[in-house]
Amino acid sequence: MSELAGVWRLASFHDVDPEGSTREGPLGPDPTGLLFYSADGHVSVTMMRAVERGGPGEAPVERPARSYMSYAGTWRRLGDQVVHTITVAPDPAWIGTDQVRDLTLDGDRLTLYGDALVGRPQRRVLEWHRVAGAG
């Protein structure tokens, strides 16, 4: 477990449809987010669309709630997979589910592959970079 424990910053998020075509993920071309894996098996993930700033003195552009994704729970590693058991989520249907993610770990780069929780059938690919000094 200790290999994944720590804080990870979202570097990219894209979707792959059943035909293998890649498209922008649901949070746009430049999403931001954090993934926390504790050494004792807790997980928390928060992601959002990048904030669009207005001009000088203007407020950031408001986005609807679908521009933000999050959940928390517990995690366990099973070989080349990580399983997130969701205990806290904005959608009650997610609570109690096991979200299985294939993973590749290359130094401080973690790539997770999983099926979309909502919407059309597709594979989600999220690349995370370890936050230096965190964990």
Side-chain angles (χ1 to χ4, degrees):
M1 268 192 168
S2 62
E3 252 184 336
L4 296 181
V7 181
W8 302 82
R9 182 172 308 283
L10 185 62
S12 68
F13 183 172
H14 65 272
D15 293 338
V16 180
D17 68 22
E19 291 75 42
S21 298
T22 300
R23 66 175 54 189
E24 184 177 280
L27 299 177
D30 190 27
T32 187
L34 292 172
L35 169 64
F36 297 86
Y37 283 124
S38 73
D40 66 351
H42 290 87
V43 61
S44 179
V45 59
T46 56
M47 302 177 292
M48 63 182 260
R49 191 176 277 273
V51 174
E52 285 184 36
R53 303 273 180 212
E58 294 180 24
V61 176
E62 289 189 36
R63 293 283 185 199
R66 67 180 176 273
S67 297
Y68 182 83
M69 297 178 172
S70 68
Y71 66 79
T74 59
W75 71 279
R76 64 190 182 280
R77 177 126 183 223
L78 299 174
D80 288 337
Q81 294 182 319
V82 62
V83 179
H84 297 169
T85 301
I86 298 177
T87 59
V88 176
D91 185 337
W94 298 0
I95 296 173
T97 64
D98 282 344
Q99 300 302 313
V100 179
R101 308 287 185 246
D102 296 325
L103 71 85
T104 58
L105 181 61
D106 181 15
D108 288 337
R109 185 177 59 189
L110 171 66
T111 306
L112 299 178
Y113 308 84
D115 296 324
L117 289 171
V118 296
R120 64 187 179 277
Q122 59 201 333
R123 195 84 162 136
R124 297 250 154 110
V125 181
L126 292 91
E127 184 178 318
W128 302 89
H129 294 175
R130 189 182 299 273
V131 175

